Amino acid sequence: MARTGALLSSAVSGRAEREERSAEWSGHSSNHLPEMAKVFKKTSGNGGLTLYLGKRDYLDDIVKVEQVDGVVKLDPADFGDRKVFVQLACAFRYGSDDLDVMGLCFRKDIWITHIQLYPDPAKPTLTPMHDTLLKKAGDNSYPFSFEIPNNLPCSVSLQPGPDDKGKACGVDFEVKTYLAKAKCNPDEKIEKKDTARLVIRKVQFAPTQVGAGPKAELCKSFMMSDKPVHLEASMEKDLYFHGESIPIKINIKNESNKTVKKIKITVDQTTDIVLYSADKYTKTVLSQEFGETVDPNGSFDTTLSVTPLLADNKEKRGLSLDGRLKDEDTNLASTTMLREGIEKEVLGILVSYKIKINLMVAGGGLLGGLTSSDVTVELPLKLMHPKPSVGIFRRQGAVQTIYDYKRRRSLRRCVDASDAITHIV
């Protein structure tokens, strides 16, 4: 009985202590969302530099890109006469690291900027993200901020094959802190042990205004038939979210003497690599057949839905994906939204989609299959992420789950501060 009372007293006191720490945690910088969920940390091989970021996805809303706020913790014991810098670079990678031979580097910098942190550090305007990271990093920590221009490409990676190793080809953004005597001296060799780096993503979301859906129609005649087949296809809107079902309205009027055997719908992704060559190719990300038939002199109206997903295309080499961090799940690359006045070459990789609706028409009469043919129309498709009301989102496979600000804050008050996650990469 005494033991039970002691255990109960211990549990109550422990709960009170957790609630006190939770209240303290939720009260600190409660007006800023991302920093509470996860802190990303990377330490250099020599142990002298530790890079902290509060998130790795930065939102591009067409007008501007979210600011990159971070902190570097220093242990200057072995720095000597070297200085500490931090840089943000956007680069196009067109070969893996193990192909870097004879001094050749299969990486082209699109944009790069540097900041000196030690000595004589630049002093950015502190944000709630800085406050949280500085508290996490402790003494001898230095904040920094980067502004990403809105004319840079979004993060895109090309899916490697099953046997490919190393980093995937594509456009990536990287925050790196390093030790060097000069900020950017090409003749100075920087040892790998004197650097700490984290890859981040620049992500673009769907515009708030969605346009009217596209429409296409075709009237096709056939050999040995006096009258044609009419096909009309349309969509309700021009933009859909990753993981969202895409309904396609189809109207068929078969005035010929042939039979429509089935309907086939495909979704094609076209990747245009404009940075270093005129390489353009198309890969099918969805192919689905429907067994509906339309007899001669018959008509048919229906709505068929398709959902293109990366999960169905894991083995396709060269498929464009939204930028990948380590082995995290990602999704098919979002459609590239071109701004007026921006040169396409700067964007590195352009991604677009189209839907094909194909009627497979069987020949009739004595000639049979010799007179069979197809009737095909195409519809443009935009695939993007929904724009969150607050600057945070969480991946769940191909679908984005958006969290409400007030809901997240009320949940955070109930979480013990000791449960906060530090993600070591």
Side-chain angles (χ1 to χ4, degrees):
M1 191 71 180
R3 183 181 179 184
T4 303
L7 289 173
L8 181 60
S9 175
S10 176
V12 171
S13 62
R15 180 181 176 182
E17 183 180 351
R18 287 194 302 272
E19 288 178 351
E20 183 180 352
R21 290 201 306 267
S22 179
E24 180 183 355
W25 178 262
S26 62
H28 181 75
S29 300
S30 60
N31 62 335
H32 192 78
L33 199 60
E35 70 271 28
M36 300 300 183
K38 187 177 288 189
V39 173
F40 298 91
K41 172 183 174 183
K42 191 64 177 286
T43 302
S44 62
N46 63 13
L49 305 172
T50 303
L51 174 62
Y52 291 85
L53 293 177
K55 58 181 180 177
R56 298 177 78 176
D57 288 314
Y58 295 85
L59 315 186
D60 178 2
D61 65 0
I62 307 293
V63 178
K64 66 176 183 178
V65 187
E66 280 188 310
Q67 181 174 285
V68 180
D69 294 329
V71 164
V72 178
K73 182 179 176 63
L74 308 182
D75 181 4
D78 299 323
F79 287 1
D81 60 348
R82 294 177 297 175
K83 303 174 182 177
V84 178
F85 301 93
V86 61
Q87 76 172 34
L88 174 61
C90 171
F92 180 79
R93 182 184 300 277
Y94 51 97
S96 55
D97 291 337
D98 54 1
L99 296 178
D100 293 352
V101 293
M102 299 176 62
L104 298 176
C105 180
F106 292 88
R107 176 184 172 94
K108 178 179 177 64
D109 288 330
I110 301 174
W111 175 86
I112 189 169
T113 184
H114 306 77
I115 296 174
Q116 181 173 322
L117 285 186
Y118 176 87
D120 304 321
K123 296 181 179 180
T125 301
L126 293 183
T127 65
M129 177 71 82
H130 284 133
D131 293 339
T132 301
L133 294 177
L134 287 168
K135 182 178 178 181
K136 184 72 178 178
D139 296 334
N140 210 24
S141 300
Y142 295 80
F144 64 86
S145 294
F146 288 114
E147 295 285 349
I148 302 177
N150 63 359
N151 63 342
L152 294 180
C154 290
S155 300
V156 178
S157 64
L158 303 183
Q159 181 164 263
D163 299 326
D164 292 340
K165 298 179 180 179
K167 293 184 178 179
C169 299
V171 175
D172 64 34
F173 288 78
E174 182 184 77
V175 180
K176 181 176 77 171
T177 182
Y178 60 95
L179 284 171
K181 293 183 178 180
K183 183 163 62 175
C184 48
N185 181 4
D187 297 326
E188 184 178 5
K189 184 178 179 181
I190 300 174
E191 300 290 341
K192 189 174 181 179
K193 64 181 179 63
D194 295 330
T195 65
R197 61 186 73 195
L198 284 171
V199 174
I200 62 174
R201 282 186 289 222
K202 177 176 172 282
V203 185
Q204 195 174 71
F205 290 100
T208 53
Q209 298 295 328
V210 178
K215 180 180 178 180
E217 54 185 318
L218 179 67
C219 180
K220 184 172 182 179
S221 299
F222 299 91
M223 184 185 299
M224 307 298 291
S225 177
D226 294 336
K227 295 184 178 181
V229 172
H230 299 266
L231 170 61
E232 180 182 293
S234 61
M235 297 191 297
E236 295 179 353
K237 53 185 181 178
D238 67 341
L239 188 150
Y240 288 84
F241 301 143
H242 292 287
E244 182 182 5
S245 180
I246 304 171
I248 305 166
K249 186 177 181 180
I250 298 174
N251 178 272
I252 304 169
K253 188 176 181 181
N254 184 10
E255 298 179 345
S256 71
N257 60 2
K258 301 179 183 297
T259 301
V260 177
K261 289 293 186 181
K262 56 185 172 181
I263 303 172
K264 182 179 181 181
I265 298 179
T266 58
V267 180
D268 291 340
Q269 180 197 77
T270 299
T271 301
D272 188 2
I273 303 176
V274 296
L275 184 65
Y276 71 94
S277 70
D279 190 6
K280 187 174 183 178
Y281 59 88
T282 298
K283 290 184 178 292
T284 299
V285 296
L286 181 143
S287 180
Q288 192 168 345
E289 294 184 356
F290 302 87
E292 283 79 358
T293 62
V294 185
D295 295 328
N297 298 312
S299 60
F300 183 68
D301 287 307
T302 188
T303 299
L304 302 175
S305 297
V306 295
T307 308
L309 295 172
L310 175 58
D312 303 323
N313 298 275
K314 287 289 190 179
E315 302 298 322
K316 290 186 179 178
R317 189 174 189 268
L319 199 65
S320 290
L321 315 176
D322 275 344
R324 176 176 294 187
L325 302 176
K326 294 289 185 179
D327 295 323
E328 276 189 23
D329 286 337
T330 182
N331 45 258
L332 297 171
S334 298
T335 301
T336 304
M337 303 295 284
L338 294 176
R339 299 181 182 88
E340 294 183 4
I342 294 182
E343 297 181 4
K344 291 171 60 176
E345 289 73 15
V346 179
L347 296 178
I349 298 177
L350 306 180
V351 179
S352 60
Y353 293 89
K354 64 182 176 182
I355 298 178
K356 290 183 180 179
I357 299 93
N358 184 29
L359 304 184
M360 307 182 77
V361 181
L366 297 175
L367 295 179
L370 295 177
T371 60
S372 64
S373 184
D374 292 346
V375 182
T376 304
V377 295
E378 296 181 357
L379 297 172
L381 170 67
K382 295 177 184 176
L383 274 181
M384 299 190 76
H385 295 290
K387 184 177 181 179
S389 56
V390 181
I392 186 170
F393 67 96
R394 178 181 177 183
R395 294 179 179 271
Q396 287 189 352
V399 183
Q400 302 295 315
T401 302
I402 309 302
Y403 289 87
D404 179 70
Y405 171 70
K406 293 182 179 177
R407 186 180 177 193
R408 283 287 301 226
R409 188 168 66 176
S410 63
L411 284 175
R412 190 175 300 111
R413 289 197 185 104
C414 301
V415 177
D416 185 355
S418 61
D419 293 334
I421 302 171
T422 299
H423 185 61
I424 309 299
V425 292

